[in-house]
Amino acid sequence: MRKELFYHILNDVVNHELYFHQKKDWLGRQGLSPEQKLTIVFRMLAWGCSADVTNEYCRLGESTALESLHKFCCVVEAMYGQWYLKSPNPADLSCYVRKS
């Protein structure tokens, strides 16, 4: 993926969902960056790796990786759904019809 596209998607996601903002914890330490969360989401979607593998790559726990994936999918549907996600047409539906 081109760097420009990654950052375009990242900016859209961060502006739409507060979950992806970088926050500080009670001790004042920086939390996970939006880049870390989005990188893991793309890694899970593109390569099909499981959530528990993400700890080795970006230092995200399994629950955080799954939550990031869920939130990202909700954001994509909300932001890009009407332009990029089309309704199925009869040809699409015909592959799912059971033949008796």
Side-chain angles (χ1 to χ4, degrees):
M1 174 182 293
R2 288 188 352 250
K3 192 176 187 177
E4 296 83 18
L5 178 60
F6 176 83
Y7 280 105
H8 177 74
I9 294 171
L10 178 71
N11 288 331
D12 286 349
V13 168
V14 168
N15 290 331
H16 191 272
E17 177 63 49
L18 291 176
Y19 173 78
F20 287 96
H21 287 214
Q22 188 170 20
K23 302 168 192 89
K24 291 185 178 182
D25 65 6
W26 286 94
L27 297 174
R29 295 178 301 193
Q30 288 290 335
L32 298 169
S33 71
E35 288 86 354
Q36 282 176 299
K37 292 176 183 177
L38 196 61
T39 298
I40 289 306
V41 166
F42 284 145
R43 185 177 170 101
M44 289 170 61
L45 289 173
W47 296 334
C49 67
S50 62
D52 59 340
V53 175
T54 59
N55 188 23
E56 298 170 9
Y57 185 70
C58 272
R59 299 291 187 211
L60 261 73
E62 181 178 354
S63 60
T64 305
L66 291 174
E67 187 176 7
S68 297
L69 178 63
H70 176 73
K71 299 255 186 203
F72 175 77
C73 290
C74 291
V75 168
V76 166
E77 183 179 0
M79 291 187 65
Y80 303 123
Q82 72 184 58
W83 292 284
Y84 296 110
L85 302 176
K86 65 178 182 122
S87 299
N89 59 31
D92 294 334
L93 296 174
S94 68
C95 7
Y96 296 108
V97 175
R98 270 196 155 153
K99 295 181 172 106
S100 321

